[in-house]
Amino acid sequence: MTYETILTHHDGAVTLITLNRPQALNALNTTVLEELIAAFAEFERDDGQRCAVLTGSGEKAFAAGADIKEMADKPTAAFYGEDFFAGWTSRLVKAVRKPWIAAVNGFALGGGCEVAMMADFIIASDNAQFGQPEIKLGVAPGMGGSQRLTRAVGKAKAMEMCLTGRMMDAAEAERAGLVSRVVPLAELMDDAMATARTVAGMPPLAAMMSKEMVDMAFETTLDQGLLAERRMFQVLTATEDKAEGMAAFVEKRPGQWKGR
Ligand code: CO8
């Protein structure tokens, strides 16, 4: 499928999705959201695709936020009536059960930071900058900045970022736990794609359940989470991939996964 604001590419079992509005620092508008939803739905449906990477085109930005020019004259009734941007959480976070990684190259601001945080984890380039500058526009984070950022980096940093608009550089983001790793910009895509290939090479049901369980840690009590984790583990023991994985270990060979 061809899109206007994003690019998609298959590299084996990895889907690479690139936000492609470099002239607007990959700002997220309604078309981007619709196209990302379609691209992620295609990724989710395709049994041959096991992990996705989302990045931004150019070397300057992953995404500099929601498109301010699109929002500037939009009436409140339309923001509320359309439930503006609700689709990010329902269609990109909840509907995508396969793992995906954000490869953040440069600015990830406002909605850009929020979309990166929707990924299962973030790999950042050394020039990455994260921020929630919405307050400078007279608004506040609307797609998870106050919630996911706080869970990721704690109250002090999240509050300071939301109240001052201060950006966090890649080194601080790694120290604070917002990103899993920082790599030189020139190596970002090779690293992110190699990591995605590693994830794609894992038994798919175990990968999906791992994702579900880690996400559940943010939604439930420790006792309920531990119980759910134990049940998921027990369910996985019924899969052919479990039999194969343990046999492969004993026989000192790589496992061949069937996803069942
Ligand atoms: N929206 C639209 N256009 C943008 C955006 C944006 N968010 N960011 C940059 N651009 C455009 C600029 O207008 C400029 O276009 P043009 O050349 O036509 O004027 C082009 O991209 C290049 O940008 P700059 O010239 O500004 O580049 P600089 O290197 O000087 O600065 C910055 C880079 C610091 C990233 C700067 O562009 C900037 O501050 N951008 C805005 C960042 C921002 O405020 N983001 C938050 C937006 S609000 C948001 O994300 C809310 C999400 C939640 C909505 C949920 C609703 C329920």
Side-chain angles (χ1 to χ4, degrees):
M1 198 160 158
T2 317
Y3 300 104
E4 188 192 318
T5 61
I6 63 171
L7 302 169
T8 59
H9 170 73
H10 286 181
D11 177 355
V14 175
T15 299
L16 173 62
I17 304 174
T18 307
L19 300 164
N20 192 31
R21 301 183 71 213
Q23 71 291 349
L25 301 187
N26 301 317
L28 310 163
N29 62 17
T30 308
T31 310
V32 175
L33 172 57
E34 281 165 6
E35 294 191 341
L36 272 184
I37 286 171
F40 271 98
E42 211 177 318
F43 159 66
E44 188 71 6
R45 266 194 313 270
D46 186 339
D47 286 342
Q49 295 301 294
R50 298 275 169 83
C51 185
V53 174
L54 177 66
T55 193
S57 63
E59 298 192 342
K60 202 167 162 186
F62 173 76
D67 192 316
I68 299 168
K69 292 166 189 167
E70 185 184 64
M71 293 187 295
D73 297 321
K74 203 175 178 72
T76 300
F79 279 110
Y80 180 72
E82 295 165 13
D83 203 358
F84 186 67
F85 276 13
W88 290 102
T89 292
S90 58
R91 309 287 293 280
L92 288 187
V93 182
K94 300 207 164 140
V96 182
R97 299 174 66 210
K98 295 179 187 175
W100 63 282
I101 301 167
V104 171
N105 54 314
F107 292 114
L109 302 178
C113 184
E114 293 169 314
V115 169
M117 292 189 293
M118 291 174 195
D120 296 313
F121 60 95
I122 301 172
I123 300 176
S125 60
D126 50 9
N127 69 331
Q129 298 269 351
F130 298 86
Q132 299 293 158
E134 288 92 336
I135 194 160
K136 296 182 184 172
L137 300 167
V139 287
M143 289 157 54
S146 66
Q147 303 301 302
R148 290 195 182 95
L149 185 64
T150 308
R151 283 164 167 78
V153 305
K155 176 178 169 179
K157 280 184 188 291
M159 193 69 95
E160 187 194 358
M161 289 169 76
C162 291
L163 288 178
T164 67
R166 174 176 85 79
M167 292 188 213
M168 184 186 261
D169 67 19
E172 183 182 1
E174 186 177 23
R175 281 198 307 275
L178 180 58
V179 310
S180 66
R181 270 174 316 105
V182 177
V183 298
L185 177 61
E187 293 165 26
L188 176 68
M189 290 320 296
D190 283 349
D191 192 296
M193 292 301 283
T195 306
R197 278 192 291 277
T198 301
V199 175
M202 295 296 167
L205 296 179
M208 283 167 63
M209 283 202 194
S210 297
K211 167 173 169 149
E212 209 171 337
M213 287 316 310
V214 174
D215 282 339
M216 193 180 281
F218 293 92
E219 305 282 352
T220 190
T221 64
L222 180 60
D223 260 358
Q224 287 166 340
L226 290 171
L227 175 63
E229 179 192 73
R230 205 158 62 243
R231 294 289 176 255
M232 286 243 192
F233 180 97
Q234 291 160 353
V235 165
L236 281 172
T237 63
T239 63
E240 288 181 35
D241 284 346
K242 172 262 179 186
E244 164 66 4
M246 295 200 179
F249 176 82
V250 173
E251 292 159 22
K252 299 188 188 300
R253 60 172 175 82
Q256 301 294 323
W257 313 122
K258 294 183 177 158
R260 56 177 191 261

